[in-house]
Amino acid sequence: FLITYLPVLRQSGPRGWLEVINFLPITWDYLNVTKTNLLWGWIATHLRVRSAWPFPVSFGIPYLLLLVFFVTSADLLLSAMKRRALGQADRFHDSAMLCVAIAVVTCWVCMLRIGDHSVWSLVYRLVPGAGAIRVVFRFQVVLELAVIAVAAYGLSLAWRGSRAQNTITTRPL
């Protein structure tokens, strides 16, 4: 981050906050898979929701993937809480995936624009180099990889649990 954006900041100076906030996502942008999506596009068409962006944005995450991500994240969090309450050791892979999930949700909250406000304003002011970023929501592409990793881990846990029990279920909490 610093290696990429500090030189840009030195060369061109910081972006104005009004320029940055106009490219932060609203809630719909996280779900906007566009009307042309063959599987989920009908939802966008039916809801007639428009993005606040001046051009089409398709960084939204497909709904089923998002559901699997949140179910896996909740399962990992509840399992970690249960293990701690029982005094059991954390499982490395579960803890790593939980950290990834928390990082993704934290980034989403930071980028979210509600009216003219966003937590990203703190990042913009306090993190060296952050003022050089104009379209912060492009980071969603990186976050989507993390969402896929967490969802795949959750599906892997469910598959292993189903093979052990001969049925498809999530692992017991």
Side-chain angles (χ1 to χ4, degrees):
F1 182 84
L2 296 175
I3 294 170
T4 303
Y5 288 106
L6 280 178
V8 173
L9 186 63
R10 276 189 225 112
Q11 181 182 5
S12 61
R15 305 283 184 167
W17 175 245
L18 291 177
E19 183 181 13
V20 173
I21 197 165
N22 285 327
F23 289 103
L24 289 173
I26 58 174
T27 308
W28 171 249
D29 291 325
Y30 291 109
L31 304 172
N32 185 9
V33 293
T34 73
K35 296 175 184 178
T36 59
N37 184 294
L38 293 176
L39 190 59
W40 305 107
W42 64 272
I43 294 174
T45 303
H46 179 71
L47 293 177
R48 297 184 189 152
V49 178
R50 293 184 184 260
S51 172
W53 290 52
F55 49 85
V57 173
S58 59
F59 292 140
I61 296 177
Y63 310 126
L64 187 57
L65 176 60
L66 199 59
L67 176 67
V68 173
F69 169 79
F70 280 121
V71 167
T72 300
S73 300
D75 180 51
L76 290 170
L77 180 62
L78 293 173
S79 295
M81 291 169 57
K82 183 177 179 182
R83 279 193 307 277
R84 291 228 171 115
L86 296 173
Q88 298 173 348
D90 289 336
R91 295 194 306 212
F92 175 77
H93 293 99
D94 286 5
S95 297
M97 284 294 124
L98 180 58
C99 288
V100 169
I102 290 170
V104 166
V105 173
T106 301
C107 288
W108 284 342
V109 168
C110 285
M111 289 190 294
L112 182 64
R113 175 173 47 121
I114 299 174
D116 289 334
H117 305 286
S118 174
V119 177
W120 188 260
S121 65
L122 295 174
V123 176
Y124 175 82
R125 284 183 283 159
L126 300 176
V127 176
I133 305 171
R134 180 174 61 112
V135 185
V136 177
F137 196 46
R138 287 182 184 150
F139 184 53
Q140 178 73 355
V141 173
V142 176
L143 294 177
E144 286 174 357
L145 293 173
V147 168
I148 291 167
V150 171
Y153 185 73
L155 291 173
S156 170
L157 292 174
W159 177 256
R160 278 189 261 144
S162 70
R163 291 188 71 196
Q165 298 174 2
N166 230 5
T167 112
I168 294 187
T169 59
T170 59
R171 67 185 172 155
L173 293 176

